[in-house]
Amino acid sequence: MSKSNNFYSPLIIALLSGVLMGLTVAPFGAWFLAWFALAPLWVLIFNPAYKPKLFRLQLAGVWGLGYYGATLSWITGLHPLTWMGVPWLSSIAIALFAWTFVTLWGTLLAMSWATSFFWISQKLTTSSLTPIFRVLIGTTLWCVLEHIWTNGPLWWSSLSYTQSPHNLVILHLGQYSGASAVTASIVAINGLIAEVWIKTRKNSKSNKYYFIPLSLFIILHLIGFNLYNQPLVKTQEAAIKIGIVQGNIPNRIKFDYYGLRRAIEGYTTGYLKLVDQGVDAVLTPEGALPFFSRDILDSSLVAAVKQKGIVAWIGGFAERPNSNTYANSLFTFTKDGKIYSHFEKSKLVPLGEYVPFEEILGKLIRRLSPVTARQVPGSRNQIFDTPFGRVIAGICYESAFPEQFRRQAYAGGEFIITASNNDPYSQAMQMQHHALDTMRAIETDRWAARATNTGLSAFVDPHGKTLWISGHNTYETHAETIYRRQTQTLYTRWGDWLTPLLTILSILALISCRLGGATAQPNKT
């Protein structure tokens, strides 16, 4: 084989491996690929034939491009932005830049993992348990890095969400330690497959060890299956019938006269229709009425709330006093026509709701929001009390950050409501967003209602089962009964305790290897 082939073949394998991992989410949903799609990269990293350490960085880089590039390709749906006054070519450039930026941000995680993993693994060469320790440390590193990325401003594609909303059984491990429990399971299985493969190449009799990853896969699913089959208590006292209005107001018309009129009429009509169906409350999407709260108070929708006396959660903007800023919010309106409470979005979308490195990128993007004021994030420690008790709330992008929901569940939130505007993105993105909300419902053991502008609105039970889901780019209303719950999962009480535990075990493994190496050294002389 030529030197050129020796260089490009592993890169192609790594890229294809990453693409396979990317096929696990919508629009393909091949979730089962996640259980072995990382293994080829693992094998390549530890191939002794690849001498330059930099080459391992390249392998992880192309794997990351394959995975994150595939899962986040929906971002190109930003184009066209001509409705915002952006020229056609500039619109294409902005969409490609956004896709490239977020893909590289995710790729950096994979590269950080491969580099640190390979360096640390060199400390294990003296241990007879190197494969097991290596799986432990590789799993720990990925969980630690995902934890770091989750606490940053830009996050979406955890390995855990490759299983949602299809493999609900394994997602129930999230009730123990959140998304990290699912991510750790996926990485560990991949690592065991890779280590057996490496051992098999040295000794063909090692094929028998494939029972180890298979056994772990079965055990983890049996644990999840037990949680999945726990009965859901439904009492009349805890029941609440919620109606959803999916307004289907495209962003390109949302802020002109026709769009505003269509929004007001559509949400008012939908509210009245749902009230006639006997709902207790009506939920609208993010920015359903794109006004400041003082203007929403004068709308026909709030007039209908005063007339009918049924609570409405209305998406709009909370104006900050004495400043030219506002917060994307969800308002609780009651029968007196006043705002009972409101929840402010705390996780803003980079390039969509604020401009990172604004001094540089602000010159490229003339205007990101038709509202003249500047959007600011809400507090991270909000409590959302309503006439139905305390609620767990999330607005759009926040669905990707599980700690937002865990904290509110721990504070007494009894059910989840999320409001999103996923226009102009494709149905694939909307399905990925639904997958994230499904995970949040399972982790907190809560019923969830999610209202979106153009799709896919849905109701989800605490086991992650979708009770109803809307279409894409359609105007719809739907009512469903959900139930308030006060249960506290292990994850709700303790948060992500698994990652620190894995970190401690990995440190102990490294110490054990170093001590073993020091003991063995005199025997070699």
Side-chain angles (χ1 to χ4, degrees):
M1 185 179 292
S2 68
K3 183 178 180 180
S4 177
N5 287 336
N6 285 333
F7 178 80
Y8 288 111
S9 294
L11 290 176
I12 292 173
I13 292 172
L15 177 62
L16 292 176
S17 174
V19 171
L20 282 179
M21 186 67 81
L23 297 179
T24 58
V25 299
F28 301 100
W31 60 269
F32 52 88
L33 294 176
W35 297 97
F36 54 84
L38 181 62
L41 177 62
W42 192 299
V43 172
L44 290 171
I45 288 174
F46 294 107
N47 190 328
Y50 307 142
K51 297 297 183 182
K53 295 182 179 179
L54 182 61
F55 189 53
R56 290 170 173 82
L57 198 65
Q58 294 170 323
L59 290 170
V62 296
W63 187 93
L65 292 175
Y67 173 49
Y68 297 104
T71 59
L72 297 168
S73 59
W74 50 263
I75 292 178
T76 56
L78 278 171
H79 175 73
L81 292 170
T82 49
W83 63 275
M84 295 173 64
V86 178
W88 185 267
L89 290 178
S90 297
S91 174
I92 295 176
I94 290 170
L96 291 177
F97 173 80
W99 181 30
T100 302
F101 184 86
V102 296
T103 297
L104 291 177
W105 183 249
T107 299
L108 182 60
L109 185 154
M111 295 172 71
S112 301
W113 175 78
T115 304
S116 55
F117 189 20
F118 180 74
W119 180 80
I120 293 174
S121 69
Q122 303 307 298
K123 310 300 180 182
L124 306 179
T125 55
T126 60
S127 173
S128 59
L129 293 178
T130 292
I132 298 299
F133 282 179
R134 203 151 61 183
V135 170
L136 170 62
I137 291 170
T139 302
T140 301
L141 284 172
W142 200 289
C143 289
V144 167
L145 288 168
E146 281 204 356
H147 181 78
I148 293 172
W149 258 245
T150 303
N151 283 281
L154 189 60
W155 182 238
W156 188 266
S157 302
S158 167
L159 288 186
S160 59
Y161 100 122
T162 62
Q163 303 302 291
S164 186
H166 307 290
N167 190 359
L168 298 180
V169 168
I170 203 67
L171 290 179
H172 276 69
L173 297 183
Q175 293 187 351
Y176 289 131
S177 188
S180 67
V182 182
T183 291
S185 300
I186 293 171
V187 177
I189 296 295
N190 275 273
L192 288 170
I193 292 173
E195 292 296 335
V196 173
W197 173 266
I198 293 171
K199 195 172 183 65
T200 300
R201 295 191 66 181
K202 298 178 181 178
N203 181 2
S204 60
K205 295 182 179 180
S206 298
N207 282 325
K208 60 183 179 181
Y209 291 112
Y210 277 114
F211 83 90
I212 297 176
L214 178 60
S215 298
L216 181 59
F217 178 85
I218 293 172
I219 290 170
L220 291 172
H221 279 76
L222 286 175
I223 295 172
F225 185 74
N226 178 61
L227 294 171
Y228 178 73
N229 278 285
Q230 296 298 312
L232 297 176
V233 178
K234 303 176 183 179
T235 63
Q236 190 59 39
E237 295 77 16
I240 172 174
K241 190 174 183 180
I242 294 179
I244 285 175
V245 184
Q246 180 172 291
N248 195 32
I249 313 295
N251 286 344
R252 63 182 181 274
I253 67 168
K254 191 173 183 179
F255 293 89
D256 62 25
Y257 173 78
Y258 168 74
L260 292 174
R261 180 177 176 181
R262 178 173 151 183
I264 294 171
E265 293 178 352
Y267 286 110
T268 303
T269 300
Y271 172 85
L272 293 172
K273 178 181 178 181
L274 289 165
V275 168
D276 289 341
Q277 296 177 22
V279 300
D280 299 304
V282 175
L283 176 63
T284 68
E286 172 188 24
L289 299 187
F291 310 128
F292 293 127
S293 54
R294 64 175 185 270
D295 299 316
I296 296 177
L297 287 167
D298 297 327
S299 68
S300 61
L301 177 53
V302 173
V305 174
K306 292 172 66 176
Q307 178 187 358
K308 298 295 184 180
I310 299 298
V311 169
W313 288 297
I314 303 175
F317 303 129
E319 191 174 16
R320 296 292 176 86
N322 303 319
S323 69
N324 191 36
T325 62
Y326 72 96
N328 194 337
S329 303
L330 190 63
F331 298 96
T332 305
F333 281 91
T334 52
K335 61 182 179 180
D336 59 4
K338 297 180 180 180
I339 297 174
Y340 181 93
S341 61
H342 82 282
F343 180 87
E344 298 180 347
K345 186 176 185 177
S346 63
K347 289 290 186 180
L348 305 186
V349 181
L351 301 177
E353 294 172 318
Y354 77 98
V355 184
F357 313 111
E358 189 168 3
E359 297 79 6
I360 301 172
L361 299 182
K363 299 176 182 178
L364 174 65
I365 305 174
R366 182 171 65 87
R367 186 177 65 177
L368 288 177
S369 173
V371 179
T372 56
R374 181 171 61 89
Q375 186 169 337
V376 294
S379 168
R380 293 188 178 185
N381 298 312
Q382 297 174 75
I383 297 298
F384 194 37
D385 288 322
T386 75
F388 308 102
R390 189 158 291 177
V391 176
I392 304 167
I395 299 179
C396 200
Y397 185 44
E398 293 180 317
S399 297
F401 298 88
E403 178 60 24
Q404 298 279 104
F405 293 77
R406 187 206 69 82
R407 180 191 58 77
Q408 293 183 74
Y410 183 74
E414 296 181 313
F415 60 94
I416 298 172
I417 57 173
T418 61
S420 303
N421 177 15
N422 292 334
D423 185 66
Y425 299 116
S426 66
Q427 188 170 353
M429 179 274 179
Q430 296 171 0
M431 197 64 203
Q432 289 184 25
H433 201 160
H434 174 67
L436 292 171
D437 277 341
T438 297
M439 293 175 66
R440 306 294 85 89
I442 295 173
E443 292 160 359
T444 57
D445 193 34
R446 294 293 186 268
W447 297 76
R450 57 186 314 265
T452 70
N453 178 18
T454 56
L456 308 166
S457 302
F459 287 93
V460 180
D461 76 9
H463 286 320
K465 297 177 182 177
T466 301
L467 307 176
W468 170 82
I469 191 165
S470 71
H472 171 58
N473 288 340
T474 56
Y475 175 88
E476 297 190 43
T477 61
H478 185 81
E480 196 79 39
T481 299
I482 66 173
Y483 298 85
R484 291 167 286 188
R485 290 171 69 84
Q486 297 178 340
T487 57
Q488 296 275 298
T489 65
L490 190 62
Y491 170 64
T492 299
R493 295 195 300 270
W494 291 6
D496 178 14
W497 54 267
L498 180 61
T499 299
L501 176 62
L502 290 174
T503 302
I504 293 172
L505 293 175
S506 295
I507 292 172
L508 292 176
L510 284 170
I511 293 174
S512 174
C513 290
R514 293 299 297 270
L515 291 176
T519 302
Q521 190 65 29
N523 297 330
K524 295 180 181 181
T525 60

